[in-house]
Amino acid sequence: MAKIDKINFSTPSGFPEFLPSEKRLESYLLDVIRKVYESYGFTPIETPAVERLEVLQAKGNQGDNIIYGIEPILPPNRQAEKDKSGETGSEARALKFDQTVPLAAYIARHLNELNFPFARYQMDMVFRGERAKDGRFRQFRQCDIDVVGRRELSLIYDAQMPAIITEIFDAINIGDFLIRINNRKILTGFFQSLGVAENQIKSCIGIIDNLEKIGEAKVKQELEKEGISAEQTQKVIDFIKIDGGIDDVLDKLKHLSQNLPEAAQFNLGVSELETVVAGVRNLGVADKRFCIDLSIARGLNYYTGTVYETTLIGHEALGSICSGGRYEELVGMFLGEKMPGVGISIGLTRLISRLLKAGILNTLAATPAQVMVVNMQDDLMPIYLQVSQNLRQAGINVITNFDKRPLGKQFQLADKQGIQFCVIIGADEAAAQKSSLKDLQTGEQVEVPLTDLAQEVKRRLVSK
């Protein structure tokens, strides 16, 4: 027998795959997120996994994580067809690293077909060429919402985002969480008041954004490398450490603005933040769910106003579980007009991985089936099929066991898959138009007429 070369069938590094119990958990979470998004009127769209590289790199967006080299590949005998179509590979392409930049291109492509403000949600895969490690992947699903306006966009849309985040995480029931809110105009205005050059401010804000990752001492070092003096750096550190209740922080910011030179941008940021806070409260979000955190900056350069990060209380090491913010110029850069937007993103694949590992979430049963109709004897299969269909038509998920094997083995198979109920119909039961319904969790077994079986199963499922 010829030797067969061994094939490496392991998954590529950084590209996850789910077992059924994990995938069912993801599907459940997607349903929860979708329901909340749609309750606020967001509509679904889908954009290509591949975008032109110049689109992804527009407005100075991150390039380090882009996965390059995506181009049409045709066999030699079809090369002429490739050349004729103009798909020469000279137009650089890459896999999308987030949903927001492709959204901007999508709006530019469909401008006259959309209504504004345009509110969309998207729950697609994105791709990043970063080093794969625990909880970080090269392919993962992001669940995004964004609202984009033409020329202007109410700050109440910014206020809606914490309300949406709150509803989602309350529904998932993962414990206490805190939505930390800031406004980049406040940070920009503060650096301006210190006399920091305009071309340095964005990189300084990026350093501030890494405070939790690298610590205060490293932030000071990085700021000083940017040419910020030790005195200015200390003022920055003291500023971003301002804390207290929401109203207390707002009062401190207003008081500080009275002593700041060139405070116009700073004051605009404080005013916007005050409007957003009032809107969040009017939407019924409790103060315990959000706070003002002046160290929140969001690293992406396209954010210009409100920014958000959400952390689990007691599990802060997990990092942000939902983040986003407002951008003024990202969409308009493709069209040459002002199109402000605001949005948030949940990196669902990463979130599931982290929450499972921390024991905050548990996987679901491997199958959605709630009932197994067991096979007592092959000649009764027509009855088993009919009973199974009757249960399905009543809205119950059913597996019919087509293979006859010892009854105990069938119970084990059902229990292993997380199926609670087994329907048992032998010759005597079939003749009497009855069944035995066994609850594998309690061990209870009751006799039920076939005409009442669906109602009895539903009653027991509801009472779980």
Side-chain angles (χ1 to χ4, degrees):
M1 184 175 179
K3 182 180 179 181
I4 300 175
D5 291 335
K6 186 175 181 181
I7 298 173
N8 182 356
F9 53 82
S10 61
T11 56
S13 176
F15 292 83
E17 61 181 7
F18 288 156
L19 290 169
S21 58
E22 297 166 332
K23 184 63 181 178
R24 289 198 64 231
L25 174 61
E26 184 198 47
S27 296
Y28 161 73
L29 295 176
L30 285 170
D31 287 343
V32 171
I33 295 167
R34 181 184 296 107
K35 183 177 180 180
V36 175
Y37 285 173
E38 292 190 350
S39 75
Y40 283 80
F42 288 83
T43 190
I45 68 166
E46 185 171 331
T47 58
V50 175
E51 283 282 359
R52 298 181 189 279
L53 184 59
E54 62 183 302
V55 168
L56 296 178
Q57 291 184 323
K59 200 61 183 173
N61 291 317
Q62 64 192 71
D64 294 342
N65 291 338
I66 291 177
I67 298 179
Y68 297 87
I70 308 301
E71 62 180 62
I73 300 174
L74 293 176
N77 64 332
R78 294 180 61 193
Q79 189 65 41
E81 174 187 336
K82 176 179 175 180
D83 294 340
K84 184 178 179 181
S85 70
E87 300 285 3
T88 61
S90 60
E91 301 177 57
R93 298 169 176 83
L95 291 166
K96 61 184 179 184
F97 62 83
D98 79 350
Q99 313 276 28
T100 311
V101 178
L103 169 64
Y106 176 93
I107 290 174
R109 293 191 289 260
H110 299 282
L111 183 67
N112 296 324
E113 303 164 75
L114 304 175
N115 297 311
F116 292 89
F118 177 56
R120 79 88 174 87
Y121 72 85
Q122 194 168 353
M123 302 195 288
D124 292 346
M125 292 293 185
V126 298
F127 307 85
R128 296 187 185 175
E130 57 190 6
R131 186 170 65 88
K133 56 183 178 180
D134 186 35
R136 298 191 71 84
F137 305 100
R138 291 170 176 163
Q139 172 186 311
F140 58 96
R141 190 180 302 279
Q142 278 192 178
C143 301
D144 289 19
I145 50 171
D146 288 85
V147 184
V148 175
R150 297 193 76 169
R151 291 173 289 280
E152 61 183 10
L153 186 70
S154 169
L155 286 168
I156 304 303
Y157 286 109
D158 296 39
Q160 265 193 165
M161 297 300 164
I164 292 169
I165 295 169
T166 298
E167 287 191 37
I168 289 171
F169 291 126
D170 276 345
I172 294 173
N173 193 26
I174 56 175
D176 289 335
F177 54 89
L178 185 65
I179 305 164
R180 299 183 292 167
I181 306 175
N182 195 14
N183 190 302
R184 279 179 66 120
K185 291 186 179 72
I186 295 174
L187 289 172
T188 299
F190 188 76
F191 277 108
Q192 287 174 344
S193 73
L194 295 178
V196 177
E198 288 293 328
N199 61 0
Q200 291 180 291
I201 290 177
K202 283 188 177 180
S203 60
C204 289
I205 291 176
I207 293 169
I208 296 299
D209 189 53
N210 285 323
L211 176 64
E212 290 185 348
K213 296 178 183 177
I214 64 177
E216 183 179 317
K218 186 68 173 176
V219 165
K220 287 182 177 180
Q221 291 177 15
E222 294 297 319
L223 287 174
E224 290 175 11
K225 284 181 183 177
E226 287 290 325
I228 311 302
S229 71
E231 181 183 358
Q232 290 172 320
T233 295
Q234 189 57 53
K235 287 181 178 180
V236 171
I237 296 298
D238 292 341
F239 174 72
I240 62 177
K241 290 170 72 173
I242 292 174
D243 60 6
I246 295 167
D247 295 319
D248 187 36
V249 173
L250 286 172
D251 287 342
K252 289 176 181 176
L253 291 174
K254 291 176 187 177
H255 179 74
L256 179 62
S257 69
Q258 298 172 7
N259 301 311
L260 289 180
E262 299 183 30
Q265 183 81 341
F266 183 91
N267 289 339
L268 178 58
V270 173
S271 175
E272 289 184 359
L273 184 58
E274 194 170 24
T275 300
V276 170
V277 165
V280 173
R281 284 170 165 165
N282 289 335
L283 284 163
V285 179
D287 279 14
K288 69 176 184 176
R289 291 299 196 198
F290 72 104
C291 71
I292 297 171
D293 187 333
L294 299 175
S295 70
I296 299 299
R298 301 297 303 142
L300 295 173
N301 285 334
Y302 53 68
Y303 290 123
T304 57
T306 311
V307 284
Y308 323 87
E309 287 195 359
T310 309
T311 52
L312 275 179
I313 296 174
H315 299 274
E316 287 79 7
L318 295 176
S320 178
I321 59 175
C322 179
S323 57
R326 175 177 277 247
Y327 43 90
E328 301 291 335
E329 302 169 1
L330 179 62
V331 179
M333 70 182 172
F334 293 115
L335 297 166
E337 66 174 274
K338 185 179 179 183
M339 299 193 74
V342 63
I344 54 172
S345 176
I346 301 173
L348 189 60
T349 308
R350 290 176 173 177
L351 180 63
I352 291 173
S353 171
R354 288 181 284 181
L355 296 185
L356 285 175
K357 186 172 182 180
I360 299 168
L361 282 181
N362 296 308
T363 56
L364 302 185
T367 175
Q370 299 155 305
V371 173
M372 175 182 283
V373 176
V374 302
N375 186 349
M376 298 291 288
Q377 50 192 80
D378 289 336
D379 62 328
L380 294 179
M381 185 56 64
I383 294 177
Y384 300 151
L385 295 178
Q386 183 180 4
V387 168
S388 298
Q389 288 299 81
N390 289 341
L391 291 172
R392 291 186 185 108
Q393 288 164 9
I396 299 165
N397 301 331
V398 180
I399 286 179
T400 313
N401 202 338
F402 300 143
D403 300 316
K404 186 178 180 303
R405 62 184 76 178
L407 189 57
K409 294 287 187 182
Q410 296 187 61
F411 289 162
Q412 288 177 11
L413 177 62
D415 190 53
K416 188 175 180 180
Q417 296 179 83
I419 299 172
Q420 183 175 357
F421 297 103
C422 284
V423 173
I424 307 162
I425 303 173
D428 292 342
E429 288 89 355
Q433 286 292 291
K434 294 181 178 180
S435 67
S436 290
L437 181 64
K438 185 176 181 64
D439 186 330
L440 297 181
Q441 289 184 3
T442 65
E444 181 186 9
Q445 185 166 319
V446 295
E447 190 176 83
V448 184
L450 292 181
T451 53
D452 299 336
L453 181 60
Q455 184 178 352
E456 180 64 17
V457 171
K458 291 176 79 171
R459 185 186 69 80
R460 289 173 176 265
L461 286 171
V462 169
S463 64
K464 283 176 61 177

